[in-house]
Amino acid sequence: MMVHRVLDRLIPASGLEGQEWEVHVIDDKEQMNAFVIPGGKVFVFSGLLPICNGEDGLATVLGHEIAHNVAHHAAENYSRLSLVLPLAYLVSFIYDVSGNLTFTLLDYAYNKPGSRKQESEADYIGLMMMAQSLFDPEAAVELWQRMEKANQVSIPQFLSTHPSNHNRIAKIQEWLPKARMIAEQSKDEYGRLL
């Protein structure tokens, strides 16, 4: 299965080889998504596979999702919340008993920008992992271009937890020279192993 093949090539570049990785493909052709939870559980919705258009596109997505684990984003989120929530409760108690305004402001001023930063970090780490694993890093740009076309409704970035596809593409294009260099180094290392 393609998801297993891609994962088997990405994991050594992640530094997370010690985990027991499990792959679950969810049969939902409408959902174009994937996620990886701490502990090596990988979930891919079948609707994502046509958008990936092959192993290189899938490596873009899985590299990104694995990168969240590499960067410990789940733990970072919990840590961040433990600092902010008590303050939010205090402000809510003093100024806004319902808490709606406080938590809405917290979401737009703190959570969404932090999440977008993590998403960009995962894009970068994932791109470097896929290049090291000898997937074509150019495929990352092509994947996000296809995603941009497939998304029928695009919300403004400031309302989202993710960067816009347009901004993602621009950042990935900035990082491509480094990814190409890593891919070339990996090809040289692979050649020496043969």
Side-chain angles (χ1 to χ4, degrees):
M1 166 178 264
M2 181 171 62
V3 177
H4 288 282
R5 284 193 310 271
V6 170
L7 195 65
D8 287 346
R9 284 174 58 189
L10 285 171
I11 295 304
S14 73
L16 300 174
E17 300 98 316
Q19 293 185 12
E20 281 192 42
W21 291 88
E22 292 178 27
V23 175
H24 305 275
V25 178
I26 301 165
D27 187 18
D28 183 345
K29 292 178 182 16
E30 301 300 313
Q31 188 69 255
M32 296 180 294
N33 205 355
F35 60 96
V36 176
I37 59 174
K41 310 300 183 261
V42 179
F43 298 86
V44 177
F45 290 90
S46 61
L48 178 67
L49 298 174
I51 294 287
C52 289
N53 198 30
E55 290 187 3
D56 293 319
L58 184 58
T60 301
V61 174
L62 291 180
H64 167 92
E65 296 301 337
I66 293 166
H68 282 300
N69 282 2
V70 169
H72 306 288
H73 286 161
E76 192 177 290
N77 289 340
Y78 287 124
S79 176
R80 190 173 58 202
L81 278 177
S82 70
L83 298 172
V84 173
L85 275 180
L87 178 62
Y89 282 121
L90 179 64
V91 169
S92 184
F93 179 74
I94 295 171
Y95 297 106
D96 177 27
V97 176
S98 72
N100 291 336
L101 178 62
T102 302
F103 286 99
T104 299
L105 289 174
L106 176 67
D107 191 38
Y108 287 105
Y110 190 72
N111 291 336
K112 289 187 188 319
S115 181
R116 286 191 299 271
K117 182 177 180 245
Q118 288 178 341
E119 291 297 323
S120 290
E121 183 179 32
D123 284 343
Y124 177 81
I125 294 169
L127 183 68
M128 300 309 146
M129 281 181 4
M130 70 181 285
Q132 185 179 345
S133 303
L134 299 178
F135 289 103
D136 179 9
E138 308 283 338
V141 171
E142 296 163 8
L143 171 93
W144 290 111
Q145 288 170 338
R146 288 190 299 275
M147 279 290 227
E148 191 168 39
K149 286 180 186 170
N151 286 342
Q152 298 173 357
V153 177
S154 180
I155 63 171
Q157 182 172 286
F158 78 94
L159 294 175
S160 177
T161 57
H162 289 65
S164 69
N165 291 328
H166 177 77
N167 288 344
R168 267 190 153 141
I169 291 165
K171 290 304 280 183
I172 290 168
Q173 287 172 328
E174 268 179 49
W175 301 327
L176 276 176
K178 183 172 182 180
R180 287 185 200 110
M181 184 181 73
I182 288 172
E184 285 303 314
Q185 290 170 347
S186 292
K187 283 180 191 171
D188 291 345
E189 286 175 29
Y190 182 73
R192 284 194 296 271
L193 293 174
L194 294 178

